[in-house]
Amino acid sequence: MKMFSGLNRFFRSLPLHLALILMCLVWILPTVGLFVTSFRSKEDVRTSGWWSIFAPKPIEGVAEYTMYCASCHGADGKTIVVADLSDPSLVGNYSRSYQLLGMLKQEVNGGPHLKDTLLPTQANQSLEVLSAVLGYTQHLSGITRNASELTFSNYMDALVGYKGTNNYQDDCKTSGVESNIKFKCKLSDLLNPEGMGAAFLNTLMVTLPTTFLVILFAAFAAFAFAWLDFRGRQWMFALLVGLQIVPLQMTLVPIARLYASIGIQGTFLGIWLFHVGFGLPYAIYLMRNFIGSLPREIFESAYLDGANHWKAFTKLVMPLAMPAIASLGIFQFLWVWNDFLVAKIFLSSHPVLTVQITNLIDPRGANWHILTGAAFLSFLIPMFVFFVFQKYFVRGLLAGSVKG
Amino acid sequence: MMPTIMKQGRLAPWLYLAPALLIMLVFIAYPTANTIVLSFMDRTGSITAATTCVAGEPCWGMFENYRYALTSPDMLLALKNNALWLVLMVPGTVIAGLFFALLAERVRYEKIAKSIIFMPMAISFIGAGIIWQFVYSIQSGGGAQTGLLNAIIVRFGGQPIAWMSTSTINNFALMVVGVWLWAGFCMTILSAALKNVPGEVLEASRVDGASEWQVFWKVTIPLIMPTLVVVTTTMIINILKIFDIVFVMTGGNYGTEVIANRMFKLIVTDTGRSMALAVLLISLMIPIMIVNIRRFRQQEAMR
C-alpha cells in the first residue's frame, strides 16, 4: 500500500519534472552550443553544427580501400612490413592521387601492383577512386586530424587578436609573412591591443575603480539620507528613486560634448565618472534601504558613548553594511563588465572585452569560430562571480528591483 | 521618516552627500536638461530646428524634430515595434518567470534549475548575440545547416527560415532572446515573494476545500500582487528602452527598428532628432516614474 502511494506520487509529479527539466534544457542549450563550438576548428564551425561532435563524421574511403588494398595490406594497413600504410612517413610521400596512380603503375616483385581488382579504365574515374583511398590511408596513418578533434586555437586566436586566414599557432610554426608583421610569437602577443588579452586588462581597469567609487560615494550619501538631518532630505530621495529609470542613451551626447571640451574624451577617467554617475541612484537607494534598517539603539548607544557621525559611519555603518556592500559591488561589477555602449562611445581607443568582440567581427562573416572563443573569454569572470556570489547578487536584485 | 539622532553640524550631511550629488548633477541632471534643449535644435545642435523645415511640406516650427519622432515612417515602425515588444514581452517574461518560480519551488533541485534560468543575466548582450547566432543562423547555399533551429527544421523535412531577415518573424525571434535573458530576473524576484506566502494560509484554504487552481488565483496571486506590480513596471521600463538585443542581432534592419536603436543611429548624423527621441522615450517612462515614487512613499509611511 505504501509502495503504491509512493509510485502514485511519482507519477503525479512526473509532468512537473518533465516540464521543468525540458525548460532548463531549452534555456541552457544555446549556451552549451556556443561552448562546444568554441573548441571546434574553423573548418568544422563553418561546415557543420556543434551537435555533430556527438555523431562523428563517417570516415570516407573505407569501401575503396577494402576493395583495392585490404586483401594484401590488411584492414589496418600493417600486413606488409616494408609497405606499412599506417606509417605517416610513407603515406606522406603521396599527397596527390596522381602520385599514387604513378606509383601503382610500377611493378612490385616483378608483377603488377594491383592483382585482384583493376582500377577503372578511365583516368578521371581511377583518380577519384584513388583520392578516396588516399584519404583513408591518411586517416590510417594519422596524418589528417580526426574530424571531431577539439582545439584551443579559437581561444588562442581571440586572445592575441589573430585576424589571418589560418590560425595563430600554425602561422607561428610556419612563420609566414603575415605572422611576422603582426606577431612576435612570444608571450608579449597576449598584450596585442587588438586581442582579448589586452581588452581583459582594459575591462579590469574600467570595472574595478568604478565599483570601488560607486560603493564609497553611495555609502556616504546613504548614511546621510538614513541617519542625518538636513533640509530637503525626503524630496531629494524621492527624486533619486525617479532618477533610476533615466535611460543611459539620453545623456551620451551632452556628456560626449562636455568631455570633448575639457579634453577627457577617450580616457579612463571619463568612463569611470560616467559609470559612477549612472550607478549612483540605484546604489544609494539600495544602501540607504539597508543602512536605514539598522537598529536605532546602536546609534543611540554610540552617541551616548560620545561618538560623532564620522565615527558612527566608519566604526558602525561600514562594518554592518558589508552584506549590502557585497550585493552592490557584485551588481555594479557585472553591470560595468557587461556594458558595451558606454565603452564604445567613451573608450574606443582602449577597447574593453565587449567592444573588442565587435572589433573582431569579420564583415564577411568568415571568423565566427574566433568569436566563440572571444565570447567565452568575456564570460569567464562574470560567470565565476555569478555562481560563487549568487546569493549576494540575488539579494541586491531583491533590495532594489526598480532598476533595469 | 525616522527621526534623526546623530549629533551633527549643519554642514556635515552635505559633506557626505557632496561627491554623489556633484557627480549625479553633472552626469544625470545636466545632460537631461541639455538633451531637452538640443531636441529643439537642428542636426548639428547649433540653430533652432525650425530652420530644417522644407517649403511645401508640413512643419511644426521649433517642434520639427518631434514631427519626425511622431509621424515619420521610420519612427512609426519603431513605435509600432516598441508597442509590440511591450504587449508581448512584458507578459511573456513575467508569466515565464512566475511559471518557473512555481515549478522550481516544488522540486529538490530548485537551486540548480533556478541558476540555469538566471544565468543569462550574468552575461553581456554582445555575448548573448553570439550565443543566439548559432541558434538562428541560416545556410542558404546548400550545405548542412549550422544553426540549431534550422537544422531541426531541415531534419524534419522543412525549409530553413531566415530568422533574422524575414520581417515579423524576426521580431518574434528577437523577443525569444529577450525572454531568455529576462525571465530569470522575474523568476528570482517572484520566487522570493512566493517564499513569503505563509504556508498556513495555503493549507487553510485547501482544508476549506479549494482546488489548487483556486488557491493559486484566489490566495497566492493576491498575496504576491505588490511584487507582481514591481516586476511588471521594471519590465515595462526595460522594454521601453530595449536597445542591445536589436542592436546586436539585426542592427534595427529588416523591419526590427525600435526607438532606442533609432536614437543611437541618429546620435552622430542628426543630434536634434536623436535628442527628440530621447525626450520621447523619457516621457513614456514618466508615468512609471510616478508610480515608483508613490510606491516608495507608501513604503516609507509604513516603516
Side-chain angles (χ1 to χ4, degrees):
Chain A
M1 193 63 206
K2 201 168 184 188
M3 198 189 88
F4 276 119
S5 82
L7 210 63
N8 193 13
R9 191 141 31 94
F10 172 75
F11 277 116
R12 253 195 306 152
S13 60
L14 197 61
L16 165 74
H17 291 294
L18 284 180
L20 200 60
I21 291 170
L22 185 74
M23 277 166 147
C24 287
L25 275 180
V26 168
W27 237 253
I28 206 170
L29 209 58
T31 316
V32 169
L34 186 76
F35 187 63
V36 171
T37 310
S38 72
F39 294 103
R40 302 180 77 217
S41 73
K42 177 181 183 177
E43 196 52 26
D44 288 349
V45 172
R46 203 176 57 77
T47 53
S48 63
W50 57 268
W51 50 89
S52 44
I53 69 152
F54 300 111
K57 269 191 221 162
I59 297 153
E60 282 167 11
V62 187
E64 286 83 353
Y65 178 85
T66 317
M67 188 169 169
Y68 293 100
C69 318
S71 57
C72 300
H73 288 277
D76 59 356
K78 287 179 181 168
T79 310
I80 304 172
V81 181
V82 290
D84 186 352
L85 296 185
S86 65
D87 176 10
S89 61
L90 175 71
V91 177
N93 290 336
Y94 307 94
S95 56
R96 305 257 170 211
S97 44
Y98 62 80
Q99 294 173 322
L100 191 61
L101 185 64
M103 190 269 288
L104 290 177
K105 290 243 166 96
Q106 292 166 11
E107 294 192 338
V108 175
N109 300 334
H113 191 140
L114 291 171
K115 283 173 241 161
D116 310 334
T117 325
L118 292 177
L119 283 169
T121 43
Q122 282 194 342
N124 57 348
Q125 279 179 6
S126 62
L127 282 177
E128 224 166 81
V129 167
L130 287 179
S131 90
V133 170
L134 198 64
Y136 188 70
T137 53
Q138 281 172 347
H139 166 76
L140 269 184
S141 60
I143 290 178
T144 45
R145 280 190 303 113
N146 199 330
S148 57
E149 197 168 292
L150 300 178
T151 166
F152 276 105
S153 73
N154 297 333
Y155 285 91
M156 207 54 216
D157 289 358
L159 271 174
V160 299
Y162 178 81
K163 284 175 182 162
T165 49
N166 193 12
N167 69 59
Y168 171 74
Q169 280 158 310
D170 283 0
D171 267 15
C172 273
K173 267 183 213 150
T174 57
S175 69
V177 183
E178 201 173 35
S179 63
N180 281 341
I181 294 169
K182 242 167 114 185
F183 298 111
K184 301 187 187 74
C185 299
K186 284 191 297 195
L187 217 56
S188 63
D189 282 349
L190 288 176
L191 294 177
N192 174 30
E194 288 184 10
M196 294 295 280
F200 195 89
L201 296 182
N202 287 337
T203 300
L204 278 179
M205 271 291 285
V206 171
T207 311
L208 294 180
T210 306
T211 308
F212 175 75
L213 286 177
V214 166
I215 291 173
L216 188 71
F217 293 164
F220 278 143
F223 176 61
F225 275 120
W227 294 104
L228 299 181
D229 188 29
F230 57 94
R231 277 185 63 177
R233 178 165 93 156
Q234 301 210 24
W235 69 258
M236 270 173 68
F237 196 72
L239 191 69
L240 202 76
V241 175
L243 275 188
Q244 286 178 42
I245 64 161
V246 171
L248 187 144
Q249 292 99 323
M250 187 151 180
T251 64
L252 293 175
V253 173
I255 295 295
R257 291 180 164 211
L258 180 73
Y259 279 7
S261 68
I262 59 173
I264 58 167
Q265 172 67 24
T267 62
F268 282 104
L269 178 68
I271 197 166
W272 291 338
L273 289 174
F274 190 94
H275 275 311
V276 172
F278 256 82
L280 274 176
Y282 171 75
I284 297 173
Y285 178 76
L286 190 151
M287 290 291 281
R288 187 268 185 194
N289 282 355
F290 187 87
I291 295 175
S293 67
L294 295 174
R296 270 180 70 88
E297 294 76 37
I298 60 167
F299 288 95
E300 281 168 351
S301 58
Y303 170 58
L304 290 176
D305 289 345
N308 61 9
H309 49 80
W310 178 247
K311 229 179 183 137
F313 177 73
T314 51
K315 295 272 152 46
L316 273 178
V317 172
M318 287 306 267
L320 287 173
M322 266 315 169
I325 289 175
S327 293
L328 174 61
I330 284 155
F331 218 80
Q332 187 68 30
F333 179 88
L334 286 177
W335 196 48
V336 176
W337 188 279
N338 288 332
D339 157 73
F340 166 74
L341 189 54
V342 179
K344 171 85 183 163
I345 289 187
F346 292 110
L347 201 69
S348 51
S349 52
H350 301 280
V352 299
L353 288 168
T354 48
V355 175
Q356 195 75 296
I357 291 177
T358 60
N359 289 345
L360 283 173
I361 293 177
D362 176 39
R364 291 161 299 159
N367 64 348
W368 276 104
H369 61 293
I370 296 183
L371 296 184
T372 59
F376 257 93
L377 284 172
S378 80
F379 295 168
L380 281 181
I381 301 286
M383 290 259 189
F384 174 80
V385 168
F386 173 77
F387 282 112
V388 174
F389 302 107
Q390 197 173 357
K391 189 174 75 179
Y392 294 101
F393 185 51
V394 169
R395 209 184 279 166
L397 210 62
L398 295 178
S401 43
V402 183
K403 166 141 180 174
Chain B
M1 264 195 177
M2 66 215 85
T4 174
I5 46 101
M6 293 312 300
K7 188 158 70 173
Q8 59 171 71
R10 276 166 64 92
L11 199 60
W14 297 103
L15 288 177
Y16 283 100
L17 290 170
L21 285 189
L22 200 68
I23 291 184
M24 286 193 295
L25 210 63
V26 175
F27 286 89
I28 304 181
Y30 157 74
T32 307
N34 197 347
T35 294
I36 295 172
V37 173
L38 285 173
S39 74
F40 295 108
M41 300 291 196
D42 74 338
R43 65 178 63 233
T44 60
S46 49
I47 42 172
T48 164
T51 57
T52 61
C53 283
V54 180
E57 279 175 33
C59 174
W60 291 13
M62 67 185 290
F63 293 95
E64 187 59 13
N65 289 329
Y66 289 90
R67 189 177 69 81
Y68 170 80
L70 296 171
T71 66
S72 71
D74 288 346
M75 276 305 296
L76 288 180
L77 175 68
L79 288 168
K80 197 192 93 195
N81 282 340
N82 262 82
L84 193 69
W85 278 83
L86 270 185
V87 171
L88 294 177
M89 261 281 281
V90 175
T93 43
V94 174
I95 290 171
L98 183 61
F99 193 60
F100 283 132
L102 282 168
L103 290 191
E105 226 187 11
R106 289 166 164 72
V107 298
R108 267 188 232 149
Y109 46 91
E110 176 180 2
K111 266 204 159 135
I112 300 171
K114 275 159 79 177
S115 291
I116 288 174
I117 308 296
F118 196 38
M119 191 270 307
M121 286 287 291
I123 61 174
S124 60
F125 286 98
I126 301 287
I130 292 174
I131 288 182
W132 282 85
Q133 165 70 24
F134 285 89
V135 176
Y136 284 145
S137 76
I138 179 168
Q139 200 78 35
S140 36
Q145 292 296 331
T146 53
L148 180 62
L149 224 45
N150 278 329
I152 293 173
I153 289 176
V154 170
R155 182 80 179 72
F156 289 101
Q159 284 296 313
I161 297 169
W163 296 101
M164 287 294 107
S165 54
T166 314
S167 60
T168 61
I169 288 184
N170 52 12
N171 272 317
F172 294 108
L174 292 178
M175 281 181 224
V176 168
V177 180
V179 172
W180 182 77
L181 279 165
W182 286 107
F185 165 80
C186 299
M187 174 201 71
T188 306
I189 294 175
L190 289 170
S191 175
L194 285 174
K195 291 222 181 338
N196 280 336
V197 173
E200 307 91 69
V201 179
L202 299 179
E203 257 339 287
S205 36
R206 283 189 194 115
V207 169
D208 288 348
S211 68
E212 279 303 310
W213 191 246
Q214 283 172 322
V215 171
F216 175 71
W217 281 108
K218 299 271 167 65
V219 183
T220 311
I221 288 285
L223 279 173
I224 63 167
M225 201 34 125
T227 313
L228 271 175
V229 172
V230 172
V231 171
T232 308
T233 51
T234 310
M235 281 315 297
I236 290 175
I237 292 172
N238 289 335
I239 300 304
L240 273 177
K241 56 183 182 188
I242 191 80
F243 162 76
D244 313 64
I245 300 175
V246 176
F247 175 78
V248 172
M249 301 210 62
T250 64
N253 298 312
Y254 314 113
T256 57
E257 191 66 289
V258 289
I259 302 174
N261 192 56
R262 190 85 222 148
M263 172 166 102
F264 181 69
K265 273 187 194 164
L266 289 171
I267 275 185
V268 181
T269 55
D270 194 330
T271 310
R273 284 181 172 180
S274 174
M275 295 298 98
L277 297 191
V279 175
L280 172 69
L281 207 55
I282 192 113
S283 5
L284 290 174
M285 292 179 187
I286 283 176
I288 304 289
M289 202 190 290
I290 292 170
V291 169
N292 277 348
I293 293 178
R294 193 173 289 167
R295 194 184 62 232
F296 166 73
R297 286 254 153 117
Q298 282 168 358
Q299 281 172 2
E300 287 303 300
M302 285 182 347
R303 274 167 105 105

